[in-house]
Amino acid sequence: MLRIPSHLFIALSLGLAATASHLSGSPAQVSRTVAEEATFAEVLAACVVEKPTELFRVLRVVDGDTIHIERNGEREKLRLLSIDTEEKYNKSNTSETKPFTRFGEQATGWAQGFLMPRSPSEGPVQVGLRFPDGMESYDPYGRLLCHVVTTEGIDFNLLMVRTGLSPYFNKYGNSRIDHERFVAAQVAANAEQIGIWHRYTNQDGKKRPYEQLLPWWQARAEAVQSHRDLAAKDPLRYVAVDEPDALAAAIKSGPRKVTVLALIDRFYEEDDGSRTVLLRSGDKRRAVRVSIPKELRGAMEKHDLDHSYEDFRQNYFLIDGTLQMGARGFDLVGVTVDDWRLAGPDPR
Protein backbone atom coordinates (compact mmCIF):
# COMPACT_ATOMS: atom_id res chain seq x y z
CA MET A 1 0.00 0.00 0.00
CA LEU A 2 1.39 3.38 -0.94
CA ARG A 3 1.86 5.87 1.85
CA ILE A 4 0.11 9.09 0.86
CA PRO A 5 0.76 12.39 2.67
CA SER A 6 -2.39 13.66 4.34
CA HIS A 7 -2.86 16.65 2.06
CA LEU A 8 -2.53 14.43 -1.00
CA PHE A 9 -4.96 11.86 0.30
CA ILE A 10 -7.58 14.48 1.10
CA ALA A 11 -7.17 16.23 -2.22
CA LEU A 12 -7.29 12.96 -4.11
CA SER A 13 -10.41 11.73 -2.35
CA LEU A 14 -12.15 15.06 -2.90
CA GLY A 15 -11.11 15.15 -6.51
CA LEU A 16 -12.25 11.63 -7.35
CA ALA A 17 -15.64 12.19 -5.80
CA ALA A 18 -16.06 15.51 -7.56
CA THR A 19 -15.21 14.20 -10.99
CA ALA A 20 -18.01 11.69 -10.74
CA SER A 21 -20.77 13.54 -8.95
CA HIS A 22 -20.28 17.20 -8.06
CA LEU A 23 -20.77 18.51 -11.58
CA SER A 24 -23.50 16.15 -12.64
CA GLY A 25 -26.09 17.94 -10.51
CA SER A 26 -27.34 14.65 -9.10
CA PRO A 27 -25.08 12.02 -7.49
CA ALA A 28 -27.81 9.45 -8.04
CA GLN A 29 -27.29 9.78 -11.78
CA VAL A 30 -23.68 8.67 -11.54
CA SER A 31 -23.18 5.03 -12.44
CA ARG A 32 -19.82 4.61 -10.70
CA THR A 33 -16.80 6.43 -9.29
CA VAL A 34 -13.10 5.73 -9.32
CA ALA A 35 -13.30 4.58 -5.73
CA GLU A 36 -15.69 1.81 -6.83
CA GLU A 37 -13.53 0.78 -9.79
CA ALA A 38 -10.11 0.86 -8.17
CA THR A 39 -8.59 1.56 -4.79
CA PHE A 40 -6.60 4.70 -4.19
CA ALA A 41 -3.48 2.56 -4.08
CA GLU A 42 -4.20 1.09 -7.52
CA VAL A 43 -4.81 4.52 -9.01
CA LEU A 44 -1.64 5.93 -7.52
CA ALA A 45 0.40 2.85 -8.38
CA ALA A 46 -0.27 3.56 -12.04
CA CYS A 47 1.42 6.94 -11.57
CA VAL A 48 4.46 6.08 -9.44
CA VAL A 49 7.89 7.07 -10.73
CA GLU A 50 11.28 7.56 -9.15
CA LYS A 51 11.21 9.94 -6.21
CA PRO A 52 12.72 13.34 -7.03
CA THR A 53 16.13 14.25 -5.64
CA GLU A 54 15.62 17.99 -6.05
CA LEU A 55 12.51 19.76 -4.80
CA PHE A 56 10.96 23.14 -5.55
CA ARG A 57 8.31 25.12 -3.68
CA VAL A 58 4.98 25.55 -5.43
CA LEU A 59 4.04 29.23 -5.51
CA ARG A 60 0.80 29.21 -7.47
CA VAL A 61 -1.56 26.88 -9.29
CA VAL A 62 -2.94 28.80 -12.27
CA ASP A 63 -5.12 25.94 -13.49
CA GLY A 64 -4.95 22.18 -13.92
CA ASP A 65 -1.95 22.21 -16.26
CA THR A 66 -0.08 25.43 -15.42
CA ILE A 67 1.72 26.13 -12.14
CA HIS A 68 4.44 28.42 -10.80
CA ILE A 69 7.34 27.25 -8.65
CA GLU A 70 10.37 28.85 -7.03
CA ARG A 71 13.53 27.71 -8.79
CA ASN A 72 17.03 29.13 -8.46
CA GLY A 73 15.59 31.99 -6.43
CA GLU A 74 13.16 33.02 -9.16
CA ARG A 75 9.59 32.32 -10.20
CA GLU A 76 9.41 29.67 -12.94
CA LYS A 77 6.22 29.13 -14.90
CA LEU A 78 5.53 25.49 -15.78
CA ARG A 79 3.34 24.01 -18.52
CA LEU A 80 2.69 20.39 -17.67
CA LEU A 81 3.35 18.04 -20.58
CA SER A 82 0.85 15.56 -22.03
CA ILE A 83 -2.18 17.01 -20.25
CA ASP A 84 -4.64 19.75 -21.19
CA THR A 85 -7.32 20.35 -18.61
CA GLU A 86 -10.56 22.08 -19.44
CA GLU A 87 -10.71 25.85 -19.15
CA LYS A 88 -11.83 27.74 -16.07
CA TYR A 89 -14.04 30.80 -16.48
CA ASN A 90 -12.66 33.62 -18.63
CA LYS A 91 -15.12 36.12 -20.07
CA SER A 92 -12.96 36.62 -23.17
CA ASN A 93 -12.86 32.90 -24.00
CA THR A 94 -14.77 32.26 -27.24
CA SER A 95 -13.00 29.07 -28.28
CA GLU A 96 -15.10 26.27 -29.73
CA THR A 97 -12.46 23.60 -29.12
CA LYS A 98 -11.45 24.70 -25.63
CA PRO A 99 -14.39 26.57 -24.09
CA PHE A 100 -14.91 27.43 -20.46
CA THR A 101 -16.61 24.50 -18.74
CA ARG A 102 -17.89 23.81 -15.27
CA PHE A 103 -15.44 20.94 -15.10
CA GLY A 104 -12.58 23.31 -15.92
CA GLU A 105 -13.25 25.14 -12.68
CA GLN A 106 -13.28 21.85 -10.84
CA ALA A 107 -10.00 20.68 -12.35
CA THR A 108 -8.35 23.92 -11.26
CA GLY A 109 -9.68 23.55 -7.73
CA TRP A 110 -8.54 19.94 -7.57
CA ALA A 111 -5.02 20.87 -8.65
CA GLN A 112 -4.94 23.67 -6.08
CA GLY A 113 -6.00 21.24 -3.37
CA PHE A 114 -3.32 18.80 -4.45
CA LEU A 115 -0.39 21.19 -4.91
CA MET A 116 -1.05 24.02 -2.44
CA PRO A 117 -1.09 23.93 1.39
CA ARG A 118 -4.47 23.13 2.84
CA SER A 119 -3.75 25.05 6.05
CA PRO A 120 -1.21 27.66 7.27
CA SER A 121 0.37 25.07 9.55
CA GLU A 122 1.07 22.63 6.75
CA GLY A 123 3.87 24.61 5.13
CA PRO A 124 4.64 24.85 1.41
CA VAL A 125 4.15 21.93 -0.95
CA GLN A 126 7.30 20.89 -2.78
CA VAL A 127 7.58 19.01 -6.06
CA GLY A 128 10.22 17.60 -8.37
CA LEU A 129 10.42 17.90 -12.14
CA ARG A 130 10.84 15.43 -15.01
CA PHE A 131 12.00 16.38 -18.49
CA PRO A 132 11.88 14.43 -21.78
CA ASP A 133 15.29 12.84 -22.32
CA GLY A 134 16.49 14.96 -19.41
CA MET A 135 16.46 18.06 -21.63
CA GLU A 136 14.73 21.29 -20.66
CA SER A 137 12.69 23.28 -23.18
CA TYR A 138 10.13 26.06 -23.22
CA ASP A 139 6.91 26.74 -25.08
CA PRO A 140 6.34 29.97 -27.05
CA TYR A 141 4.87 31.57 -23.92
CA GLY A 142 8.07 31.10 -21.92
CA ARG A 143 6.76 28.23 -19.79
CA LEU A 144 9.05 25.35 -18.86
CA LEU A 145 7.71 22.07 -20.28
CA CYS A 146 7.84 19.25 -17.75
CA HIS A 147 6.21 16.69 -15.50
CA VAL A 148 5.59 17.47 -11.84
CA VAL A 149 6.40 14.74 -9.31
CA THR A 150 5.39 14.70 -5.64
CA THR A 151 7.81 13.93 -2.83
CA GLU A 152 6.23 10.47 -2.72
CA GLY A 153 7.12 9.86 -6.37
CA ILE A 154 3.66 10.35 -7.87
CA ASP A 155 3.69 11.79 -11.39
CA PHE A 156 1.00 14.48 -11.22
CA ASN A 157 0.62 14.61 -15.03
CA LEU A 158 -0.15 10.89 -15.19
CA LEU A 159 -2.50 11.17 -12.23
CA MET A 160 -4.54 13.87 -13.97
CA VAL A 161 -5.15 11.53 -16.91
CA ARG A 162 -5.77 8.45 -14.75
CA THR A 163 -8.45 10.28 -12.74
CA GLY A 164 -10.20 11.66 -15.81
CA LEU A 165 -9.24 15.26 -15.00
CA SER A 166 -7.45 15.60 -18.35
CA PRO A 167 -7.20 13.78 -21.66
CA TYR A 168 -3.85 12.47 -22.83
CA PHE A 169 -2.74 15.53 -24.75
CA ASN A 170 -0.48 14.39 -27.60
CA LYS A 171 -1.24 17.28 -29.95
CA TYR A 172 2.47 18.14 -30.01
CA GLY A 173 3.67 14.54 -30.10
CA ASN A 174 3.47 11.45 -27.95
CA SER A 175 5.08 11.63 -24.54
CA ARG A 176 8.82 10.99 -24.68
CA ILE A 177 8.68 9.96 -21.04
CA ASP A 178 5.66 7.67 -20.54
CA HIS A 179 3.62 7.28 -23.72
CA GLU A 180 2.38 3.76 -22.93
CA ARG A 181 1.39 4.68 -19.39
CA PHE A 182 -0.52 7.74 -20.58
CA VAL A 183 -2.41 5.60 -23.09
CA ALA A 184 -3.21 3.04 -20.39
CA ALA A 185 -4.28 5.77 -17.95
CA GLN A 186 -6.70 7.27 -20.47
CA VAL A 187 -8.11 3.87 -21.41
CA ALA A 188 -8.75 3.10 -17.74
CA ALA A 189 -10.37 6.46 -16.99
CA ASN A 190 -12.53 6.19 -20.10
CA ALA A 191 -13.60 2.65 -19.23
CA GLU A 192 -14.58 3.79 -15.75
CA GLN A 193 -16.43 6.82 -17.20
CA ILE A 194 -14.90 9.28 -14.78
CA GLY A 195 -14.19 12.97 -15.09
CA ILE A 196 -14.35 14.22 -18.66
CA TRP A 197 -15.38 10.74 -19.83
CA HIS A 198 -18.59 10.64 -17.78
CA ARG A 199 -21.71 11.31 -19.83
CA TYR A 200 -23.10 13.76 -17.24
CA THR A 201 -19.98 15.92 -16.96
CA ASN A 202 -20.82 19.42 -18.18
CA GLN A 203 -24.27 18.20 -19.22
CA ASP A 204 -25.80 21.59 -18.43
CA GLY A 205 -23.07 23.70 -20.01
CA LYS A 206 -20.52 23.80 -22.78
CA LYS A 207 -18.69 20.62 -23.72
CA ARG A 208 -15.31 20.14 -25.29
CA PRO A 209 -15.56 18.14 -28.57
CA TYR A 210 -13.24 15.25 -27.72
CA GLU A 211 -14.74 13.10 -30.48
CA GLN A 212 -13.13 15.53 -32.95
CA LEU A 213 -10.10 16.54 -30.93
CA LEU A 214 -8.65 13.10 -30.20
CA PRO A 215 -8.36 12.00 -33.88
CA TRP A 216 -6.84 15.39 -34.74
CA TRP A 217 -4.27 15.18 -31.96
CA GLN A 218 -3.44 11.62 -32.96
CA ALA A 219 -2.86 12.61 -36.61
CA ARG A 220 -0.44 15.31 -35.46
CA ALA A 221 1.25 12.89 -33.06
CA GLU A 222 1.80 10.43 -35.91
CA ALA A 223 3.50 13.18 -37.92
CA VAL A 224 5.79 14.00 -35.03
CA GLN A 225 6.59 10.36 -34.28
CA SER A 226 7.44 9.61 -37.90
CA HIS A 227 9.91 12.49 -37.91
CA ARG A 228 11.37 11.43 -34.56
CA ASP A 229 12.03 7.97 -35.96
CA LEU A 230 13.93 9.47 -38.89
CA ALA A 231 15.83 11.82 -36.58
CA ALA A 232 16.92 8.88 -34.43
CA LYS A 233 18.73 7.46 -37.47
CA ASP A 234 20.07 10.75 -38.87
CA PRO A 235 19.81 13.57 -36.29
CA LEU A 236 21.78 16.04 -38.41
CA ARG A 237 19.41 15.69 -41.37
CA TYR A 238 16.01 15.46 -39.66
CA VAL A 239 15.44 18.24 -37.14
CA ALA A 240 12.42 19.86 -35.49
CA VAL A 241 12.20 23.65 -35.45
CA ASP A 242 11.16 23.68 -31.78
CA GLU A 243 14.48 22.07 -30.80
CA PRO A 244 16.98 24.92 -31.25
CA ASP A 245 19.90 22.99 -29.77
CA ALA A 246 19.43 20.28 -32.40
CA LEU A 247 19.27 22.96 -35.10
CA ALA A 248 22.50 24.50 -33.85
CA ALA A 249 24.18 21.09 -33.80
CA ALA A 250 23.05 20.41 -37.35
CA ILE A 251 24.83 23.49 -38.72
CA LYS A 252 27.83 23.48 -36.40
CA SER A 253 30.14 22.74 -39.32
CA GLY A 254 28.38 25.15 -41.68
CA PRO A 255 25.17 25.34 -43.76
CA ARG A 256 23.52 21.93 -44.09
CA LYS A 257 20.72 20.32 -46.08
CA VAL A 258 17.95 19.32 -43.69
CA THR A 259 14.33 18.28 -43.47
CA VAL A 260 12.61 20.24 -40.73
CA LEU A 261 9.36 19.42 -38.95
CA ALA A 262 7.49 22.66 -38.40
CA LEU A 263 4.34 24.46 -37.41
CA ILE A 264 3.73 27.91 -38.84
CA ASP A 265 3.77 30.74 -36.33
CA ARG A 266 3.12 33.81 -38.49
CA PHE A 267 3.80 35.57 -41.79
CA TYR A 268 5.58 38.79 -42.63
CA GLU A 269 5.06 40.72 -45.87
CA GLU A 270 8.35 42.09 -47.21
CA ASP A 271 8.94 45.24 -49.26
CA ASP A 272 10.23 43.26 -52.26
CA GLY A 273 6.98 41.30 -52.55
CA SER A 274 8.34 38.17 -50.90
CA ARG A 275 6.84 36.62 -47.82
CA THR A 276 8.68 35.45 -44.73
CA VAL A 277 7.28 32.48 -42.82
CA LEU A 278 8.24 32.36 -39.16
CA LEU A 279 8.12 28.79 -37.83
CA ARG A 280 6.91 28.11 -34.29
CA SER A 281 9.61 27.84 -31.63
CA GLY A 282 9.96 28.11 -27.89
CA ASP A 283 13.11 30.19 -28.35
CA LYS A 284 12.33 33.32 -30.36
CA ARG A 285 16.03 34.19 -30.61
CA ARG A 286 16.65 30.93 -32.45
CA ALA A 287 13.49 30.58 -34.50
CA VAL A 288 13.57 29.40 -38.13
CA ARG A 289 12.49 31.61 -41.02
CA VAL A 290 11.67 30.61 -44.59
CA SER A 291 11.35 33.11 -47.41
CA ILE A 292 8.83 32.64 -50.19
CA PRO A 293 10.02 34.69 -53.20
CA LYS A 294 7.50 36.90 -54.97
CA GLU A 295 7.60 34.72 -58.10
CA LEU A 296 6.68 31.57 -56.14
CA ARG A 297 3.79 32.94 -54.11
CA GLY A 298 1.14 31.97 -56.62
CA ALA A 299 2.40 28.40 -56.91
CA MET A 300 2.61 28.14 -53.10
CA GLU A 301 -1.13 28.63 -52.78
CA LYS A 302 -1.63 24.91 -53.33
CA HIS A 303 -0.24 24.33 -49.84
CA ASP A 304 -2.88 26.65 -48.33
CA LEU A 305 -0.47 27.94 -45.68
CA ASP A 306 -2.80 30.76 -44.63
CA HIS A 307 -5.32 28.26 -43.27
CA SER A 308 -2.79 25.95 -41.63
CA TYR A 309 -3.77 27.33 -38.21
CA GLU A 310 -7.26 25.88 -38.45
CA ASP A 311 -8.46 23.17 -36.11
CA PHE A 312 -8.99 19.57 -37.19
CA ARG A 313 -6.45 19.63 -40.04
CA GLN A 314 -2.88 18.44 -40.22
CA ASN A 315 -0.82 21.45 -39.15
CA TYR A 316 2.67 19.97 -39.31
CA PHE A 317 4.82 20.47 -42.40
CA LEU A 318 8.05 18.91 -43.55
CA ILE A 319 10.26 21.43 -45.34
CA ASP A 320 13.48 20.61 -47.19
CA GLY A 321 16.18 23.25 -47.48
CA THR A 322 19.60 24.41 -46.43
CA LEU A 323 19.82 25.49 -42.81
CA GLN A 324 22.12 28.37 -41.98
CA MET A 325 22.56 31.06 -39.36
CA GLY A 326 20.76 34.29 -40.14
CA ALA A 327 20.63 37.77 -38.64
CA ARG A 328 17.64 36.91 -36.43
CA GLY A 329 18.08 33.18 -35.84
CA PHE A 330 18.09 30.32 -38.32
CA ASP A 331 17.25 30.65 -42.00
CA LEU A 332 16.08 27.80 -44.21
CA VAL A 333 17.10 28.74 -47.74
CA GLY A 334 16.85 27.26 -51.22
CA VAL A 335 13.29 26.12 -50.53
CA THR A 336 11.09 25.49 -53.58
CA VAL A 337 7.34 24.87 -53.82
CA ASP A 338 7.88 21.10 -53.91
CA ASP A 339 10.01 21.23 -50.76
CA TRP A 340 6.86 21.80 -48.68
CA ARG A 341 4.59 18.87 -47.78
CA LEU A 342 2.29 17.74 -44.99
CA ALA A 343 4.14 15.76 -42.36
CA GLY A 344 1.39 13.27 -41.58
CA PRO A 345 -2.18 12.20 -42.18
CA ASP A 346 -4.88 14.85 -42.50
CA PRO A 347 -7.80 13.87 -40.24
CA ARG A 348 -10.38 15.83 -42.25
Side-chain angles (χ1 to χ4, degrees), residues 2-15:
L2 286 171
R3 183 178 67 83
I4 310 170
S6 60
H7 83 278
L8 300 186
F9 184 87
I10 294 170
L12 181 59
S13 62
L14 288 174

Side-chain angles (χ1 to χ4, degrees), residues 183-237:
V183 171
Q186 179 160 277
V187 168
N190 199 326
E192 292 164 8
Q193 297 180 30
I194 53 174
I196 59 175
W197 310 117
H198 197 282
R199 63 186 181 276
Y200 290 117
T201 299
N202 296 326
Q203 66 172 334
D204 298 323
K206 292 184 178 180
K207 283 182 173 287
R208 202 174 181 197
Y210 290 111
E211 68 284 353
Q212 294 174 280
L213 288 170
L214 296 182
W216 176 37
W217 296 349
Q218 182 60 30
R220 288 169 48 114
E222 289 177 20
V224 174
Q225 189 59 52
S226 178
H227 192 265
R228 285 177 181 172
D229 293 342
L230 292 171
K233 299 176 182 178
D234 191 349
L236 298 182
R237 172 59 191 268

Side-chain angles (χ1 to χ4, degrees), residues 220-292:
R220 288 169 48 114
E222 289 177 20
V224 174
Q225 189 59 52
S226 178
H227 192 265
R228 285 177 181 172
D229 293 342
L230 292 171
K233 299 176 182 178
D234 191 349
L236 298 182
R237 172 59 191 268
Y238 298 96
V239 289
V241 297
D242 60 352
E243 298 178 356
D245 289 340
L247 294 168
I251 62 171
K252 188 174 182 180
S253 60
R256 173 180 289 274
K257 288 285 291 184
V258 297
T259 298
V260 300
L261 176 73
L263 294 169
I264 293 176
D265 187 354
R266 64 190 67 184
F267 302 97
Y268 296 98
E269 299 295 333
E270 307 294 354
D271 293 339
D272 62 0
S274 66
R275 195 180 206 195
T276 297
V277 184
L278 179 67
L279 304 179
R280 191 177 191 268
S281 173
D283 186 345
K284 297 185 184 303
R285 297 168 299 176
R286 296 191 291 173
V288 178
R289 290 170 172 80
V290 184
S291 178
I292 301 175

Side-chain angles (χ1 to χ4, degrees), residues 138-153:
Y138 290 82
D139 71 5
Y141 307 103
R143 299 177 299 185
L144 183 64
L145 300 169
C146 62
H147 286 224
V148 162
V149 183
T150 72
T151 56
E152 292 292 310

